[in-house]
């Protein structure tokens, strides 16, 4: 690795890798939408990025024998809730969230899959703040994988 180059995490479990790659892709797509003025779509996809990275963290933190049950727990509405996902991560031995990441979650906790039915635009500055917080969460999680 080149000095000063960021370490890129690659989860060892295939399903965790899938969620990880989706998290990065959703954030990239969200930024493209935000830059094009599609702020609601940007926030919607950015939230999915956070959801996916939390699921990758959870899958990497559980013992191999528990992974199938954890994957099944990702079904249903609660599996989209950041609070439930954070609790699930901590219950499986995940590290406590640092203060700056707790602050980032306060900016994204209002996210919901119901945004798909939200016909108005978010203010550009709000979408930018949301994506900045989502990116900070993903970057922190990347260091935990």
């Amino acid at each position: 690795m080149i000095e000063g180059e960021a370490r890129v995490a690659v989860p060892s479990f295939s399903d965790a890798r899938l969620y990880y790659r989706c998290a990065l892709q959703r954030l990239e797509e969200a930024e493209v939408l935000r830059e094009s003025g599609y702020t609601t779509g940007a926030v919607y996809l950015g939230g999915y990025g956070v959801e996916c990275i939390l699921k990758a963290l959870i899958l990497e933190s559980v013992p191999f024998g528990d992974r199938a049950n954890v994957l099944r727990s990702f079904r249903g509405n609660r599996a989209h809730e950041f609070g439930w996902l954070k609790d699930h991560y901590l219950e499986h031995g995940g590290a406590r969230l640092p203060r700056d990441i707790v602050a980032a979650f306060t900016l994204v906790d209002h996210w919901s899959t119901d945004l798909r039915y939200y016909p108005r635009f978010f203010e550009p500055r709000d979408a930018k703040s949301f994506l900045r917080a989502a990116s900070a969460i993903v970057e922190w999680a990347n260091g935990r994988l």
Side-chain angles (χ1 to χ4, degrees), residues 4-115:
E5 183 179 281
R7 178 177 87 73
V8 175
V10 178
S12 59
F13 181 51
S14 63
D15 285 308
R17 277 195 307 274
L18 174 70
Y19 282 111
Y20 172 76
R21 287 194 311 264
C22 285
L24 298 180
Q25 190 172 1
R26 294 301 84 80
L27 280 177
E28 186 177 332
E29 293 165 346
E31 193 57 42
V32 169
L33 285 173
R34 186 193 66 78
E35 289 173 359
S36 299
Y38 294 100
T39 55
T40 302
V43 169
Y44 182 67
L45 285 181
Y48 264 115
V50 171
E51 177 185 324
C52 287
I53 202 68
L54 288 171
K55 289 177 177 178
L57 275 176
I58 293 165
L59 287 168
E60 281 293 296
S61 69
V62 299
F64 180 78
D66 294 339
R67 288 180 175 157
N69 286 333
V70 169
L71 280 169
R72 279 191 293 280
S73 77
F74 289 166
R75 296 187 183 128
N77 288 337
R78 71 179 180 177
H80 299 293
E81 297 171 6
F82 297 158
W84 183 82
L85 290 166
K86 288 184 293 185
D87 290 345
H88 210 39
Y89 170 64
L90 294 171
E91 287 169 9
H92 287 91
R96 288 185 51 166
L97 303 162
R99 188 176 305 158
D100 61 325
I101 299 306
V102 170
F105 268 108
T106 64
L107 292 172
V108 302
D109 269 342
H110 67 278
W111 181 85
S112 164
T113 57
D114 289 341
L115 285 175

Side-chain angles (χ1 to χ4, degrees), residues 129-140:
S129 294
F130 183 96
L131 291 181
R132 188 178 303 130
S135 293
I137 292 165
V138 170
E139 186 176 318
W140 166 79

